Amino acid sequence: MAASPILLLILFLLSIAGAQSNFIDKTCKATKFYDLCVSSLKSDPTSRNADVKGLATIMIGIGMANSTATSSYLSSQLLSASGNDVVLKKVLKECADKYGFAADALQASAQDLAAESFDYAYLHVTAAENYPNACRNAFRRFPGLAYPPELARREEGLKRICDVVLGIIDNLGEY
């Protein structure tokens, strides 16, 4: 008895899905944070049909969402800060701006990738990764201000996402 056409189609589609999963695994092995890379990319349905440049673009989008959300979080903290704490408000505003700049730098890196200007894309991702340092330094300038644990967590998340993007960009020529 011959295999049905439907069964052959299912087997073919499963082999394609397995190959793409292996492609994501192979791409993510070139990054510092393999688990973050794999979980992020596999959670995005567009990654199934993406090439390496597309995978980098997906991760850039995740970084943009992270930095934009952190900027919004800081803006909300600014609004809820007590009225007389001028220093805290100033630092929160500076930090919100820095995370906004990080999102802008990531947007520029996506445009650079689309134009295949990989060196510029790398440069913009590196800038995005470093903007949170300016926020942390703003808190350090005022010894009475403690760096909020939630902000430290968000900072680490953005830096890890950027590290993943940089690892993918580093290996664009190998695929």
Side-chain angles (χ1 to χ4, degrees):
M1 183 166 127
S4 75
I6 293 175
L7 178 62
L8 290 174
L9 178 62
I10 291 171
L11 289 173
F12 174 72
L13 292 175
L14 286 174
S15 70
I16 290 173
Q20 186 59 23
S21 180
N22 289 339
F23 182 67
I24 289 172
D25 287 341
K26 179 181 176 186
T27 301
C28 290
K29 283 181 182 170
T31 69
K32 287 168 72 173
F33 299 102
Y34 172 82
D35 291 338
L36 172 65
C37 180
V38 169
S39 65
S40 298
L41 292 175
K42 286 188 177 179
S43 70
D44 187 314
T46 62
S47 69
R48 282 179 261 181
N49 300 318
D51 59 5
V52 178
K53 187 167 71 169
L55 296 178
T57 303
I58 291 167
M59 286 302 300
I60 288 169
I62 292 167
M64 288 171 56
N66 175 291
S67 54
T68 301
T70 302
S71 181
S72 295
Y73 164 77
L74 288 162
S75 294
S76 73
Q77 295 300 301
L78 178 64
L79 293 174
S80 66
S82 64
N84 59 355
D85 199 342
V86 177
V87 172
L88 177 61
K89 286 184 174 186
K90 178 182 176 185
V91 171
L92 290 172
K93 170 75 170 99
E94 182 177 341
C95 288
D97 290 347
K98 297 304 180 195
Y99 277 90
F101 297 153
D104 293 344
L106 288 167
Q107 176 64 43
S109 71
Q111 293 167 349
D112 295 331
L113 275 181
E116 298 194 0
S117 298
F118 303 132
D119 290 342
Y120 287 113
Y122 194 94
L123 181 69
H124 282 116
V125 174
T126 301
E129 184 177 34
N130 285 314
Y131 275 117
N133 293 334
C135 177
R136 183 179 286 271
N137 290 337
F139 273 89
R140 286 184 181 148
R141 285 194 306 266
F142 300 98
L145 292 181
Y147 194 62
E150 174 63 16
L151 191 51
R153 184 187 68 73
R154 289 169 179 261
E155 174 188 356
E156 184 63 25
L158 179 59
K159 287 182 175 187
R160 287 175 181 241
I161 292 165
C162 288
D163 276 341
V164 168
V165 175
L166 293 172
I168 295 172
I169 292 173
D170 270 342
N171 292 289
L172 269 170
E174 295 182 16
Y175 296 95

